[in-house]
Amino acid sequence: MRVIILCLLVAACFAEEEQKLQWKDEDGLEIKIIRPIKAEKCPIKSQEGDVLDQWYKLTDKDGKEIGSNFNKKPYTFTLGKGQVIPGMERAMTGMCKGEKRKVVIPGNLGFGEKGRERDNIKEDQTLYYTVQLVDLFRAVPGEKWTTEEGIVIEQTHKIDEDKCKKSKSGDTIHQQYVLHLEDGTFVDSSFSRNAPFIFKLNNNEVIKGMDIAMTGMCEGERRQVVIPSDYGYGDNGRSPAIPGKARLYFDITLEKLIQRDEL
């Protein structure tokens, strides 16, 4: 009898483990973990607000490839910000770095009634993905302040003071940025060029507001910055994307810092 009970317990444990590796939600989203990561190698799992680097392969129901970036530049997005389809938001939640999943996303959680013409994805088409979490970044928020020039600076990811390599005049900045206008209109991004924007700090190579916003910034730090037009492009703006007297909304990262005495 004890042997029978032990076998039943072992079987139940295996069933529970299998259930953790594969499940289907009530609205049709299916997830199967095909490359699990052991707990001791997974210090954090992806959650809302994390910045994810993702490899993906998308196919139709017959296995015909629609698109893939595996072993190429990862696709980067912030989880929980609506930057990917709803099914993908949920499929990439709770993942360990290196984990790989097969995901079936029904049309209502994918591209919906509109589909996506450029990829020949039809109305309410079910999507078959293989996804892998390549990397995960979790921000540590810092302080927020306004300079005497009226520039609003918020540390969206701070660096501890004892680990801070801090920028000063004459240093060379490797900057990643995204620029929007006050109404949310996208203007420009370094990510679209797959390369950081490089300039020398306080050398009249960028708008004055950016020099101010990036002085005293740590390598690896991230900031949200609002720059008044007087320290941006002024009354004339910058045709065609930036109108006159526009406030500029930047998300910036000091990706790499070469200090003047290192040159």
Side-chain angles (χ1 to χ4, degrees), residues 6 16 18 26 33 43 47 49 64 73 102 106 137 141 150 166 172 178 182 189 209 225 240 244 249 257 260:
L6 180 60
E16 184 179 355
E18 178 65 23
E26 291 183 357
I33 301 174
Q47 64 184 32
K64 182 180 178 182
K73 181 179 173 59
K102 282 190 177 293
F137 171 80
K166 189 170 291 187
T172 299
V178 179
E182 190 166 5
S189 172
V225 179
Y249 289 71
L257 172 63
R260 183 173 53 184

Side-chain angles (χ1 to χ4, degrees), residues 53-149:
D53 285 344
Q54 176 207 57
W55 280 335
Y56 70 88
K57 179 182 177 182
L58 171 60
T59 70
D60 62 17
K61 62 182 178 60
D62 298 318
K64 182 180 178 182
E65 184 177 306
I66 297 173
S68 174
N69 73 340
F70 263 90
N71 298 314
K72 300 176 184 177
K73 181 179 173 59
Y75 179 67
T76 301
F77 65 95
T78 302
L79 197 59
K81 299 296 183 181
Q83 296 174 2
V84 292
I85 56 177
M88 188 59 73
E89 293 266 25
R90 284 164 50 187
M92 296 295 294
T93 298
M95 288 186 77
C96 301
K97 182 179 174 180
E99 184 179 324
K100 186 184 289 187
R101 296 179 173 184
K102 282 190 177 293
V103 184
V104 181
I105 300 178
N108 63 306
L109 297 175
F111 295 103
E113 295 179 355
K114 295 181 179 179
R116 190 161 74 170
E117 187 176 353
R118 73 171 186 262
D119 291 321
N120 199 29
I121 296 174
K122 298 178 174 55
E123 174 185 346
D124 288 326
Q125 181 174 328
T126 299
L127 307 171
Y128 297 82
Y129 278 97
T130 301
V131 296
Q132 184 169 355
L133 180 57
V134 180
D135 204 357
L136 181 158
F137 171 80
R138 183 166 296 169
V140 180
E143 299 179 356
K144 182 177 181 178
W145 67 94
T146 302
T147 71
E148 61 183 17
E149 297 87 1

Side-chain angles (χ1 to χ4, degrees), residues 221-233:
E221 185 179 335
R222 302 183 182 206
R223 294 180 173 183
Q224 286 184 342
V225 179
V226 182
I227 298 177
S229 62
D230 287 348
Y231 293 90
Y233 293 103

